[in-house]
Amino acid sequence: MSASTTDQLPVVVIGAGPTGLAAAAHLIARGIEPLVLEAGPSAGTAVRDWAHMRLFSPWIEVTDPAAEKLLAPTGWTRPDGTTYPTGGDWAEKYLQPLADVLGDKVRYGVTVTGVARAGRDRIVDSGRDEQPFTAHVQLTDGGEERITARAVIDASGTWSTPSPVGANGLPALAEKSAADRLSYRVPNLNDPAVRARYAGKRTAVVGSGASAFTALAYLADLAKEEDGTHAVWILRRGIGANTYGGGEADQLPARGALGLRAKAAVENGYASAVTGFRTEAVERDDDGRLVLVAEDGRRLDPVDEVVVLTGFRPDLSFLSEIRLGLDERLQAPTVLAPLIDPNVHSCGTVHPHGVKELSHPEQGIYLVGMKSYGRAPTFLAMTGYEQVRSITAAIAGDQEAAERVELTLPETGVCGGAGLFDEPENAEQSGGGCCAAPTTLQIGIGAPVSSGGC
């Protein structure tokens, strides 16, 4: 197939979430036909799974400029930019209207099962770069299709592949058989059925990030109303000055406040912390309750439920015939990985990145949004919007625009990552660090504007 013929094909976008829909809007602005393939029944299917949770970023930071231009002729207006939407708000008031404007450029109930070069497996070099991509998809009725594309933007996220409770990255012994009492999502305690599952119960919360903070805060509120409700917070590290995030120094105030709520849950006795605990096995006692066993042999008192919030990881299975360049630790693009590696960047600073950092040995395939970060945490919607602005410019042949990265992001306020602070003795070090006073990184300039921090 000639280059001119290939250019007439659509760009397949996998996932109708915030970044995928923004990619479609940017493609349209460039005069390129997008085709968004969404496995779920509606836009923002993953976002709707946490509809009860509030975003850390206000409305002004979670809508994409190209998408807003696409929505404007419909009479759509962005909600008050200073307010914080819930996941449900985001889906209903922005993502679904955007998908509706895109019309038949978005297909629902379509699961991508494989991506390859047409007629070439990953071994074959001959004529490879001249071939278009082919996306193999499965429909909800069991049917299958092959869709030909000039490029593929994978914005499928990581929501479908949560990390296990096992400290070595693999499921703990008997974790799968205890699935009836394990959850890998922050519980929606506004749902009566879910509330009944945790009310008056003893729940282990495993994890040290914002999701764990949220679960602790929710369970503390439930404990104030329902006697016998208690959370056991399980940490692989110790408790130090930065355990609860950036607090008042976090330039995402909503996230800083959430960390302080988790701290209050512990200090007020609604939650108890177990530190330096790396889960190896999940056992059941005679009453059917769960007992978590650590690698060092420690056994926790029985709990009724376990909420596992140990992060997410990308599903790369359907990209097995594509030549990706991924970091061996983070499973993020190799050029991007050093910029976001929590083993190195103790404050989670987001560095400038666009098409250059997101490219792979296989030209024309891009992992964007949360999936581009692999196993690294702390992804912001604005980052995804900038990624797809740069990538779509490159697809359109506007290299100057592709390389001109334009974005200002807040310092994340996250001090410590899984690798750097797993050891309890490291976590006990007193604080400050670069999060003691925040900075704002001017993306595109590459130097932080100091506000008294590092």
Side-chain angles (χ1 to χ4, degrees), residues 148-380:
T148 308
R150 64 183 287 187
V152 175
I153 298 175
D154 182 359
S156 59
T158 58
W159 184 251
S160 64
T161 48
S163 295
V165 72
N168 64 359
L170 299 175
L173 294 175
E175 178 174 346
K176 294 180 180 179
S177 64
D180 61 317
R181 291 188 178 239
L182 269 68
S183 171
Y184 298 85
R185 307 284 188 261
V186 175
N188 179 9
L189 299 181
N190 294 321
D191 182 323
V194 176
R195 183 183 178 90
R197 178 173 174 175
Y198 296 95
K201 305 291 180 61
R202 180 177 167 88
T203 299
V205 177
V206 186
S208 59
S211 294
F213 294 167
T214 304
L216 290 170
Y218 285 1
L219 290 168
D221 289 343
L222 182 60
K224 296 172 187 176
E225 302 174 7
E226 299 284 350
D227 291 341
T229 304
H230 188 76
V232 182
W233 186 20
I234 300 176
L235 293 152
R236 294 171 182 170
R237 58 196 187 196
I239 293 181
N242 300 315
T243 296
Y244 299 99
E248 294 179 358
D250 197 325
Q251 284 197 14
L252 296 176
R255 181 171 54 198
L258 182 60
L260 296 177
R261 284 185 65 191
K263 182 178 182 181
V266 175
E267 292 179 345
N268 294 332
Y270 298 116
S272 53
V274 178
T275 60
F277 192 97
R278 293 173 171 79
T279 306
E280 183 177 68
V282 181
E283 299 179 356
R284 288 186 189 265
D285 69 5
D286 293 339
D287 297 323
R289 303 174 80 197
L290 301 183
V291 176
L292 300 185
V293 183
E295 292 175 345
D296 60 9
R298 278 188 293 164
R299 302 169 64 86
L300 293 186
D301 291 338
V303 295
D304 301 287
E305 301 286 342
V306 179
V307 177
V308 183
L309 301 170
T310 51
F312 295 85
R313 55 187 60 179
D315 177 9
L316 302 169
S317 61
F318 61 87
L319 300 174
S320 62
E321 295 306 316
I322 293 295
R323 297 175 178 180
L324 298 178
L326 298 176
D327 179 76
E328 62 185 9
R329 294 164 299 170
L330 296 186
Q331 295 178 299
T334 51
V335 180
L336 175 61
L339 308 181
I340 60 174
D341 188 351
N343 289 291
V344 178
H345 298 286
S346 64
C347 284
T349 304
V350 179
H351 289 255
H353 67 280
V355 68
K356 177 182 177 182
E357 292 79 9
L358 295 168
S359 294
H360 294 275
E362 191 88 68
Q363 297 299 304
I365 180 87
Y366 304 97
L367 276 57
V368 299
M370 190 65 235
K371 191 164 186 175
S372 71
Y373 270 37
R375 299 193 185 197
T378 321
F379 188 82
L380 299 177

Side-chain angles (χ1 to χ4, degrees), residues 434-453:
C434 66
C435 295
T439 62
T440 297
L441 187 68
Q442 302 293 333
I443 302 300
I445 299 174
V449 177
S450 176
S451 59

Side-chain angles (χ1 to χ4, degrees), residues 117-131 323 362:
R117 287 284 188 182
R120 305 290 190 277
D121 64 23
R122 67 182 296 155
I123 299 174
V124 178
D125 290 333
S126 177
R128 186 178 193 86
D129 292 341
E130 289 73 42
Q131 294 301 309
R323 297 175 178 180
E362 191 88 68

Side-chain angles (χ1 to χ4, degrees), residues 18-20 22-23 26 30 61-67 94 153 350-358 366-369 372-373 379-394 399-409 441-445:
T19 307
H26 281 276
R30 290 280 180 177
E61 295 178 0
V62 298
T63 57
D64 175 78
Y94 170 64
I153 298 175
V350 179
H351 289 255
H353 67 280
V355 68
K356 177 182 177 182
E357 292 79 9
L358 295 168
Y366 304 97
L367 276 57
V368 299
S372 71
Y373 270 37
F379 188 82
L380 299 177
M382 291 188 295
T383 300
Y385 298 155
E386 176 60 14
Q387 288 178 342
V388 296
R389 185 207 62 78
S390 174
I391 285 169
T392 54
Q399 201 61 31
E400 187 276 331
E403 295 176 0
R404 186 184 66 243
V405 186
E406 314 161 337
L407 187 60
T408 299
L409 290 171
L441 187 68
Q442 302 293 333
I443 302 300
I445 299 174

